Amino acid sequence: MKDVAALAGVGLKTVSRVVNGEPGVTPDTERRVQEAIDSLGFRRNDSARVLRKGRTASVGLVLEDLADPFYGPLSRAVEEVARAHGALLINGSSAEDPDREQELALALCARRVDGLIVIPAGSDHRYLEPEIKAGVATVFVDRPAGGIDADVVMSDSFGGARAGVAHLIAHGHRRIGFIGDQPRIHTATERLRGYRAAMEDAGLAVDPSWESLGTTAPDRVREALAAMLAGPEPVTALFAGNNRVTVTAVRALAGRAHPVALVGFDDIELADLLGITVIAQDAAALGRTAAERLFRRLDGFEEPPARVVLDTRLIPRGSGETAPPATA
């Protein structure tokens, strides 16, 4: 900074103001300082800045799976909010493994991120209590934290599933299957609860064989669907609990002589072209809302932890409007 100040003919404080984007510098002076910076190849020493301000201008994002299309818009929205606040986003995948989630979250804290946004893989987040007490602002997304009271931003999984199944019922279906994610995942159980509520609202009994929770591996989903379609009274419709289940179901149901109605939770790529009816959640809004809440905390805004629930919406495209066979 001394070299920049000498070359530009200004004081150190002026260089600091230009580097940090602070007001109080004339355009001509700012131009001269910037030219000196470019000429000397000056880069701000962020390590020294952290020691002085106690903030790293970085936040961490712990996702389930970076390869899942659902998390692309969410991550991008968090990054845009972070960038608007002059912060760098660092993210990583937990692979739906609670131990890996904890390892990744604590590694980010060890690198002194100012805040964390976490999509939980586990159900016990007490390991974060010391970090939160030390000042690491933390917001959970998609699923609530376990064992601690913290901000959470999520979609209305219960209401969305209830609306999707009610849509199938309105089109004449009475035997409706549900295939969802693992039962330890909050969104999976909430969507199952929504499925059951819609069936109960319509006075329809649910056969236990119509429900299946487990991994979203294609083989497991195909096996569950095949079991529901077997026997003298197969299901005539399916509610898929997330985008991965929907993709596998679309492939498994293709070319069947008797179409099976399908509604999926989460939109998927090419769903509009394939005519797949979905319950869509706004992944970008989840990320943006969580990030804005995180930076409010970092800016010193204090209030009790809140649960923010965003609405979902039904998008009818054809697959969920197929009527059951006349004999069903």
Side-chain angles (χ1 to χ4, degrees):
M1 285 180 67
K2 289 179 180 178
D3 293 338
V4 170
L7 183 60
V10 299
L12 282 174
K13 183 61 179 176
T14 300
V15 176
S16 176
R17 284 179 176 144
V18 172
V19 169
N20 292 294
E22 296 173 359
V25 181
T26 66
D28 181 63
T29 300
E30 182 177 1
R31 178 186 56 76
R32 284 190 289 118
V33 171
Q34 193 59 56
E35 287 176 351
I37 287 172
D38 294 340
S39 173
L40 295 171
F42 171 81
R43 294 292 181 271
R44 182 175 63 193
N45 186 328
D46 280 336
S47 295
R49 185 169 179 261
V50 168
L51 290 173
R52 189 177 78 252
K53 293 192 173 184
R55 294 271 291 271
T56 62
S58 63
V59 294
L61 172 61
V62 180
L63 298 166
E64 175 194 339
D65 183 359
L66 285 168
D68 189 326
F70 173 74
Y71 294 115
L74 189 154
S75 177
R76 178 64 180 270
V78 172
E79 186 175 21
E80 289 300 319
V81 175
R83 187 169 181 268
H85 284 81
L88 176 71
L89 177 67
I90 307 169
N91 58 29
S93 299
S94 69
E96 204 63 78
D97 180 342
D99 292 336
R100 184 166 169 176
E101 173 214 297
Q102 178 174 338
E103 179 184 348
L104 179 57
L106 292 179
L108 289 167
C109 291
R111 284 159 177 75
R112 299 190 64 184
V113 293
D114 299 322
L116 280 177
I117 295 176
V118 180
I119 297 172
S123 58
D124 186 351
H125 294 91
R126 287 174 294 179
Y127 71 86
L128 280 173
E129 281 184 330
E131 310 300 333
I132 294 171
K133 288 178 181 177
V136 179
T138 305
V139 178
F140 291 81
V141 182
D142 196 38
R143 311 159 190 171
I148 62 172
D149 195 15
D151 288 320
V152 58
V153 179
M154 54 189 183
S155 298
D156 184 5
S157 285
F158 169 78
R162 190 177 192 175
V165 176
H167 184 72
L168 290 167
I169 294 169
H171 283 82
H173 295 277
R174 299 295 177 264
R175 300 195 301 271
I176 302 170
F178 175 91
I179 300 179
D181 212 329
Q182 300 177 73
R184 65 179 174 80
I185 298 175
H186 176 79
T187 50
T189 56
E190 281 295 284
R191 292 166 196 176
L192 176 61
R193 194 167 68 88
Y195 159 79
R196 290 173 174 171
M199 296 293 277
E200 183 179 350
D201 292 342
L204 300 174
V206 176
D207 189 309
S209 67
W210 298 349
E211 298 178 350
S212 179
L213 293 181
T215 73
T216 56
D219 287 347
R220 203 287 299 183
V221 173
R222 287 193 194 96
E223 183 178 337
L225 181 55
M228 293 178 187
L229 295 173
E233 292 191 326
V235 298
T236 63
L238 174 69
F239 186 83
N242 66 22
N243 56 355
R244 284 163 291 187
V245 175
T246 302
V247 169
T248 300
V250 168
R251 289 173 173 155
L253 295 172
R256 283 182 59 86
H258 301 290
V260 175
L262 173 66
V263 174
F265 202 108
D266 292 336
D267 212 350
I268 61 172
E269 190 175 3
L270 302 181
D272 53 340
L273 295 178
L274 296 171
I276 308 301
T277 297
V278 299
I279 298 295
Q281 53 180 331
D282 191 337
L286 283 170
R288 183 170 55 253
T289 304
E292 288 172 348
R293 189 159 197 86
L294 183 77
F295 280 97
R296 277 163 62 87
R297 293 285 188 196
L298 290 174
D299 289 340
F301 186 80
E302 295 184 7
E303 65 176 357
R307 176 176 293 208
V308 180
V309 180
L310 304 184
D311 289 336
T312 58
R313 63 190 179 104
L314 171 70
I315 306 177
R317 295 188 177 122
S319 70
E321 295 69 55
T322 301
T327 56

